[in-house]
Amino acid sequence: MAAKTTNREPWRDAIRLTLTHRAGDAPDASAIAEATASTWRQMTALLTPVIGARGVDVIFRRALSLTSKVFPWLAIGEEHGDSAALLVSLKVQLAGRDTATATEVACTLMVTFIELLTTLIGKSLTARMLSPVWVSPLPPSEQEAESCPPK
């Protein structure tokens, strides 16, 4: 079994904190969906100069495909050609769930995206590029962790 490229829990914690912070005082699934979309837009803006819009889109689609294996209702067909339409569809899917599920799916999707990105540009650059996104940055020791302990 291959070692994971990131330690999932610090990323998951940073993502969850960011989403709940952006969703406001009484977050519901719609607020989580909007916070997710806002976070994706910020990540895209930071990553596009480094890996290009197409690179971000390819990794996003792959992360969505992998996440939909765990959450089959998340599968969004290829009829959503561009990233903007795909993001709108994701928001609709998340808003239609309960708050806990929407949060869990958004976290899983973003962690999967980050893991894929890390295989492309490395841990250190991924952490540096995405650090402005999170409400609370990852501790330096977690940014440099070499592998994820088995779960």
Side-chain angles (χ1 to χ4, degrees):
M1 182 153 110
K4 299 236 183 198
T5 57
T6 61
N7 187 334
R8 291 184 84 110
E9 292 312 310
W11 284 113
R12 186 173 296 282
D13 292 345
I15 293 164
R16 185 177 310 278
L17 180 62
T18 299
L19 292 179
T20 55
H21 175 77
R22 290 182 177 178
D25 293 334
D28 60 9
S30 291
I32 293 295
E34 184 54 47
T36 300
S38 171
T39 302
W40 277 116
R41 287 188 292 270
Q42 187 179 6
M43 289 169 64
T44 298
L46 292 169
L47 294 171
T48 297
V50 176
I51 64 172
R54 181 73 179 132
V56 173
D57 184 58
V58 166
I59 296 171
F60 178 65
R61 288 174 185 275
R62 180 67 179 144
L64 191 57
S65 174
L66 292 171
T67 304
S68 70
K69 291 180 181 183
V70 177
F71 303 98
W73 55 265
L74 186 62
I76 299 170
E78 288 301 314
E79 66 273 5
H80 300 290
D82 68 358
S83 295
L86 196 59
L87 190 56
V88 168
S89 183
L90 174 63
K91 278 179 54 177
V92 169
Q93 292 287 341
L94 292 175
R97 300 293 164 171
D98 63 83
T99 305
T101 300
T103 303
E104 181 59 28
V105 170
C107 288
T108 300
L109 178 60
M110 288 187 189
V111 167
T112 302
F113 178 90
I114 289 166
E115 288 176 337
L116 292 169
L117 179 66
T118 298
T119 64
L120 180 65
I121 66 173
K123 289 177 218 166
S124 180
L125 186 54
T126 298
R128 282 194 311 256
M129 291 295 302
L130 295 179
S131 67
V133 175
W134 316 123
V135 170
S136 176
L138 294 174
S141 63
E142 296 300 338
Q143 293 175 9
E144 302 300 323
E146 285 300 319
S147 65
C148 178
K151 289 234 166 215

